[in-house]
């Protein structure tokens, strides 16, 4: 390996457009989980050369973060090979990100001659173009950056949306960018009163137009339409996707989710998800979906033996999902709730604590965690003070969400029950005052009243 003392200036490297300059921070993701998902995507879409070329770029950066520089180089070489197979040898503009990654990786390996050679290649690509706003002239840069941000961390979704929009402004018919934009909108959209107001539905329709063979997009649209009870179109999309891609794990998992949530045919959903596990046995998502199906089955049986059997199956698949995906917050919370239902209170509490820590660390799903933990304290541990605390924490985060409204309902129920015994109950009156102030947008007043109330109760 060649190595010279002529180290390239980092200012020149910093101007490159690649994973090394996009501020992809290791602490913003679960790196092992991210690696697993990238490897699964690579293996499932081996025939789609353009998409897997991008995946190899992301894999190279993750391998670099993990200190596996040679594996990172191998992935970059594979990205070049797939891109050339897809677009021919005259495709340097599509390799700008890859060449930038090569330059940075060789720089970190102290292989400065190789680093400079890639910097020179990038200069040659840019030379025929005007020097101003160079990146605008290369829509592939925006597109690949969007996908990299989207896959790396939920914290980067807003940045990913911005990049997808810029890429689509330059090439509005590009299928892979329409698909990515649709998926990220599907992930973030929560408040819509009608399908006409749903940006996700509009973009999913657009994405399907430009990706007519992508059955995952059809299922995401079906799930969105079902939210608004548009079941005829939704079920037609489900049937079409399942007919064309009966063995695709991604298709089957979304079909299973649709059936479990909207059709109530749990046996069919379970059968499909089991079939998906035969293809991808280490999919935390599919194990999670199976666990939810068995949990729903359990709720339909009054007979103890059958209920217990489905409870055990649900716990088993939740445990598998948590094992396969470290930091799977919602699966941990749901597993903890089932441990509590199973009488394993200490084990449940420990799992809740782990989930809460992960939610706070990732700043993800924290409001729902407060609600779940409040319900656990109220109904399993019979600890009303802690239940009240976590319901309040949930409510303070956002009173208008379903979780916030559920916390209001639970707090009101506690307050009313206390007042039925004592109309002057200080804590119950404080809860009512707290709810009123929070729901009226007066959080600082609510927190001040809460502090005074706690001091008064402690003095007593």
């Amino acid at each position: 390996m060649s190595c010279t003392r002529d180290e390239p200036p980092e200012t020149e490297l910093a101007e490159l457009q690649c994973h090394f300059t996009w501020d992809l921070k290791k602490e913003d993701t679960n790196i092992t989980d991210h690696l697993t998902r990238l490897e699964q995507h690579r293996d499932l879409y081996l025939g789609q050369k353009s998409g897997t070329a991008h995946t190899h770029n992301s894999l190279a950066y993750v391998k670099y973060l993990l200190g596996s520089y040679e594996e990172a180089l191998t992935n970059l070489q594979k990205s070049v090979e797939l891109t050339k197979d897809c677009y021919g040898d005259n495709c340097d503009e599509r390799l700008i990100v890859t060449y930038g990654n090569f330059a940075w990786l060789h720089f970190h390996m102290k292989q400065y001659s190789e680093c400079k050679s890639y910097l020179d290649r990038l200069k040659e690509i840019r030379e025929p173009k005007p020097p101003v706003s160079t990146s605008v002239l290369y829509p592939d840069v925006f597109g690949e950056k969007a996908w990299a941000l989207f896959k790396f961390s939920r914290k980067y979704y807003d940045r990913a949306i911005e990049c997808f929009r810029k890429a689509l402004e330059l090439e509005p018919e590009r299928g892979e960018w329409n698909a990515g934009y649709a998926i990220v909108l599907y992930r973030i959209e929560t408040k819509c009163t009608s399908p006409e107001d749903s940006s996700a539905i509009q973009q999913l329709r657009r994405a399907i137009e430009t990706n007519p063979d992508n059955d995952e997009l059809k299922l995401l649209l079906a799930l969105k339409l079902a939210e608004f009870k548009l079941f005829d179109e939704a079920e037609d999309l489900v049937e079409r996707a399942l007919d064309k891609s009966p063995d695709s794990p991604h298709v089957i998992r979304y079909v299973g989710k649709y059936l479990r949530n909207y059709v109530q045919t749990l046996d069919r959903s379970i059968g499909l998800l089991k079939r998906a596990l035969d293809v991808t046995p280490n999919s935390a998502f599919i194990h999670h979906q199976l666990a939810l199906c068995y949990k729903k089955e359990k709720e339909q049986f009054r007979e103890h033996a059958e209920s217990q059997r489905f409870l055990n199956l649900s716990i088993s698949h939740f445990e598998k999902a948590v094992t396969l995906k470290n930091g799977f917050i919602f699966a941990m919370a749901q597993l903890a709730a089932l441990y509590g239902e199973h009488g394993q209170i200490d084990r449940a509490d420990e799992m809740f604590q782990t989930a809460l820590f992960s939610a706070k660390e990732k700043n993800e799903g924290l409001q729902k965690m407060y609600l779940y933990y409040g319900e656990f304290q109220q109904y399993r541990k019979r600890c009303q003070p802690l239940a009240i605390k976590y319901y309040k924490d949930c409510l303070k985060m956002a009173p208008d969400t379903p979780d916030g409204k559920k916390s209001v309902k639970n707090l009101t129920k506690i307050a009313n029950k206390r007042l039925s015994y004592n109309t002057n109950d200080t804590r119950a009156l404080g809860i009512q005052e707290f709810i009123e102030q929070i729901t009226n947008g007066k959080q600082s007043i609510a927190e001040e009243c809460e502090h005074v109330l706690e001091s008064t109760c402690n003095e007593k």
Side-chain angles (χ1 to χ4, degrees), residues 318-414:
F318 274 130
E319 287 176 337
K320 189 69 174 175
V322 168
T323 301
L324 286 168
K325 183 179 178 181
N326 185 29
F328 197 162
I329 295 166
F330 296 124
M332 285 191 285
Q334 290 156 338
L335 176 58
L338 284 187
Y339 282 154
E341 190 175 331
H342 209 234
Q344 302 176 58
I345 302 301
D346 290 342
R347 193 175 185 186
D349 207 351
E350 183 180 347
M351 180 65 71
F352 268 122
Q353 291 291 342
T354 303
L356 269 170
F357 177 80
S358 185
K360 289 175 181 176
E361 189 176 45
K362 291 183 173 184
N363 193 26
E364 176 186 328
L366 188 54
Q367 187 182 34
K368 189 173 290 293
M369 283 303 312
Y370 284 144
L371 174 64
Y372 283 170
Y373 199 42
E375 290 177 335
F376 172 73
Q377 293 294 339
Q378 182 177 1
Y379 297 112
R380 300 300 170 193
K381 295 197 77 174
R382 308 292 182 184
C383 181
Q384 194 177 87
L386 279 179
I388 292 169
K389 174 194 179 316
Y390 285 105
Y391 289 147
K392 285 182 174 181
D393 287 344
C394 174
L395 181 55
K396 281 188 285 189
M397 289 193 71
D400 293 332
T401 61
D403 294 329
K405 291 175 181 177
K406 184 72 181 294
S407 287
V408 168
K409 185 178 178 180
N410 292 344
L411 285 168
T412 302
K413 186 176 178 180
I414 290 171

Side-chain angles (χ1 to χ4, degrees), residues 103-116:
W104 267 103
L105 188 57
H106 283 302
F107 174 76
H108 285 298
M109 296 173 76
K110 295 183 170 48
Q111 298 171 359
Y112 300 131
S113 293
E114 287 87 343
C115 174
K116 284 184 174 180

Side-chain angles (χ1 to χ4, degrees), residues 100-153:
N101 285 335
F102 265 122
W104 267 103
L105 188 57
H106 283 302
F107 174 76
H108 285 298
M109 296 173 76
K110 295 183 170 48
Q111 298 171 359
Y112 300 131
S113 293
E114 287 87 343
C115 174
K116 284 184 174 180
S117 72
Y118 281 103
L119 289 173
D120 290 341
R121 277 199 198 187
L122 288 165
K123 285 178 185 175
E124 289 172 10
I125 295 169
R126 292 195 296 265
E127 268 180 5
K129 307 284 186 181
V132 292
S133 303
T134 305
S135 62
V136 174
L137 301 170
Y138 303 110
D140 278 86
V141 171
F142 283 128
E144 186 156 1
K145 183 177 181 180
W147 274 111
L149 290 164
F150 173 49
K151 291 177 181 178
F152 198 83
S153 173

Side-chain angles (χ1 to χ4, degrees), residues 18-40:
C18 65
H19 291 67
F20 288 82
T21 62
W22 289 339
D23 200 25
L24 303 172
K25 297 176 182 176
K26 188 176 180 180
E27 60 268 24
D28 285 340
T29 191
N30 182 317
I31 199 70
T32 53
D33 177 49
H34 182 48
L35 175 63
T36 299
R37 284 186 284 113
L38 287 172
E39 289 174 337
Q40 288 176 344

Side-chain angles (χ1 to χ4, degrees), residues 40-216:
Q40 288 176 344
H41 185 273
R42 174 200 63 195
D43 296 341
L44 282 170
Y45 297 100
L46 288 175
Q48 298 181 15
K49 295 176 182 177
S50 175
T52 47
H54 296 168
T55 301
H56 279 286
N57 254 332
S58 289
L59 273 169
Y61 183 68
V62 172
K63 291 292 185 181
Y64 155 76
L65 291 176
L66 294 171
S68 301
Y69 291 6
E70 292 297 336
E71 288 185 63
L73 276 177
T74 300
N75 275 285
L76 291 178
Q77 289 156 359
K78 187 65 177 177
S79 181
V80 172
E81 176 188 324
L82 290 167
T83 303
K84 289 186 175 181
D85 283 350
C86 188
Y87 298 107
D89 289 334
N90 188 23
C91 62
D92 277 352
E93 288 188 7
R94 297 183 184 275
L95 288 167
I96 288 172
V97 173
T98 309
Y99 290 160
N101 285 335
F102 265 122
W104 267 103
L105 188 57
H106 283 302
F107 174 76
H108 285 298
M109 296 173 76
K110 295 183 170 48
Q111 298 171 359
Y112 300 131
S113 293
E114 287 87 343
C115 174
K116 284 184 174 180
S117 72
Y118 281 103
L119 289 173
D120 290 341
R121 277 199 198 187
L122 288 165
K123 285 178 185 175
E124 289 172 10
I125 295 169
R126 292 195 296 265
E127 268 180 5
K129 307 284 186 181
V132 292
S133 303
T134 305
S135 62
V136 174
L137 301 170
Y138 303 110
D140 278 86
V141 171
F142 283 128
E144 186 156 1
K145 183 177 181 180
W147 274 111
L149 290 164
F150 173 49
K151 291 177 181 178
F152 198 83
S153 173
R154 293 184 71 91
K155 293 181 180 180
Y156 301 160
Y157 279 6
D158 288 343
R159 291 169 60 198
I161 286 173
E162 182 184 354
C163 288
F164 276 126
R165 285 174 178 164
K166 287 179 178 177
L168 287 168
E169 283 174 11
L170 295 166
E171 289 191 13
E173 300 300 317
R174 191 78 168 261
E176 62 188 297
W177 301 339
N178 274 293
Y181 186 34
I183 295 167
V184 72
L185 287 178
Y186 171 86
R187 295 269 184 93
I188 67 169
E189 189 172 84
T190 54
K191 294 181 181 179
C192 281
T193 56
S194 71
E196 291 76 23
D197 292 334
S198 170
S199 298
I201 286 178
Q202 294 172 30
Q203 182 56 33
L204 280 164
R205 293 192 189 282
R206 175 69 180 139
I208 291 167
E209 287 177 9
T210 55
N211 298 268
D213 296 325
N214 189 319
D215 293 313
E216 289 176 54

Side-chain angles (χ1 to χ4, degrees), residues 297-313 341-343:
E297 283 272 40
K298 174 192 74 69
E299 292 163 359
Q300 295 181 3
F301 283 91
R302 293 184 179 179
E303 184 184 341
H304 176 72
E306 280 298 290
S307 178
Q308 189 66 36
R309 182 169 75 86
F310 286 117
L311 174 64
N312 291 338
L313 282 168
E341 190 175 331
H342 209 234

